[in-house]
């Protein structure tokens, strides 16, 4: 893949600012900022680079980088550009979606409003399977939600089901982003050696 997904960016951040940030990783081929039907930013999007090495540099160096006062999330974009994938969010009804396959039982989620509770998220994730652990990231200073975290399921198939069924679901008025937690995959590979 030559794309990264980014989220948790303030709505006021401009495309120009983000292009400058991502250019650190390598030459940008395409930049898509996800927007509401009103044209307002959704605080997330996809950047396409010339090569896979730039993707690795972006994930390694820009994940948790502070952009306009917030720590941005960056991950390899696992969503394909199949028919129905649009620049503004979920596939249209009736569009065929590729089957999601994961190597980890843990997913990363973001774009959750700060007032959504862990209990509400647990209820959401339990729709697709048994949850072993759910962590909502919080600020050290005041304990306020950071609007992101990870959820560990009992199996990789449950994690895949969460990505397939729950990604872009409205949670507290915002579409939740869910992707395989690539840090968990790397850790599993390290532990197995």
């Amino acid at each position: 893949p030559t794309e990264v997904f980014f989220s948790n960016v303030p709505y006021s951040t401009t495309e120009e600012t983000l292009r400058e940030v991502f250019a650190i990783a390598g030459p940008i081929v395409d930049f898509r900022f996800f927007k509401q039907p009103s044209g307002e930013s959704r605080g997330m999007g996809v950047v396409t680079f010339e090569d896979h090495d730039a993707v690795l540099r972006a994930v390694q160096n820009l994940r948790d980088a502070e952009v306009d006062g917030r720590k941005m999330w960056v991950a390899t974009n696992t969503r394909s550009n199949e028919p129905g994938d649009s620049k503004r969010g979920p596939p249209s009804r009736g569009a065929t979606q590729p089957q999601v396959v994961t190597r980890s039982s843990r997913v990363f989620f973001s774009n959750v409003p700060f007032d959504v509770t862990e209990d509400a998220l647990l209820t959401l994730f339990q729709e697709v399977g048994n949850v072993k652990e759910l962590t909502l990231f919080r600020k050290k200073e005041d304990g306020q939600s950071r609007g992101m975290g990870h959820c560990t399921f009992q199996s990789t198939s449950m994690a895949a089901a969460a990505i397939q069924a729950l990604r872009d679901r409205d949670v507290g008025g915002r579409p939740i982003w869910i992707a395989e937690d690539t840090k968990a995959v790397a850790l599993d590979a390290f532990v197995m050696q």
Side-chain angles (χ1 to χ4, degrees), residues 12-141:
S12 59
T13 301
T14 65
E15 180 176 331
E16 181 181 355
T17 298
L18 288 168
R19 280 183 176 272
E20 289 174 12
V21 169
F22 282 103
I24 294 167
I28 297 171
V29 174
D30 188 36
F31 184 96
R32 295 182 311 233
F33 219 160
F34 298 168
K35 299 189 182 236
Q36 301 286 358
S38 65
E40 183 182 17
S41 166
R42 287 175 58 189
M44 64 175 86
V46 173
V47 179
T48 305
F49 290 100
E50 277 186 6
D51 58 51
H52 183 66
D53 289 341
V55 170
L56 297 176
R57 286 190 296 273
V59 171
Q60 186 173 33
N61 300 318
L62 299 176
R63 180 179 287 171
D64 288 329
E66 194 164 303
V67 176
D68 292 340
R70 290 185 78 176
K71 287 188 178 184
M72 173 175 64
W73 176 257
V74 178
T76 302
N77 187 23
T78 56
R79 187 170 198 161
S80 73
N81 291 319
E82 294 292 320
D85 245 3
S86 75
K87 293 182 180 184
R88 289 176 42 203
S92 58
R93 291 188 195 272
T96 58
Q97 287 185 308
Q99 188 65 32
V100 174
V101 177
T102 63
R103 295 182 297 160
S104 171
S105 61
R106 188 163 83 173
V107 297
F108 169 80
F109 61 88
S110 65
N111 203 40
V112 174
F114 298 148
D115 60 348
V116 172
T117 66
E118 286 182 10
D119 287 341
L121 289 165
L122 184 61
T123 300
L124 173 74
F125 285 116
Q126 286 175 334
E127 288 181 24
V128 296
N130 294 330
V131 173
K132 289 172 62 176
E133 177 188 19
L134 181 117
T135 303
L136 181 61
F137 300 163
R138 297 188 175 280
K139 293 180 183 176
K140 290 179 184 172
E141 310 84 56

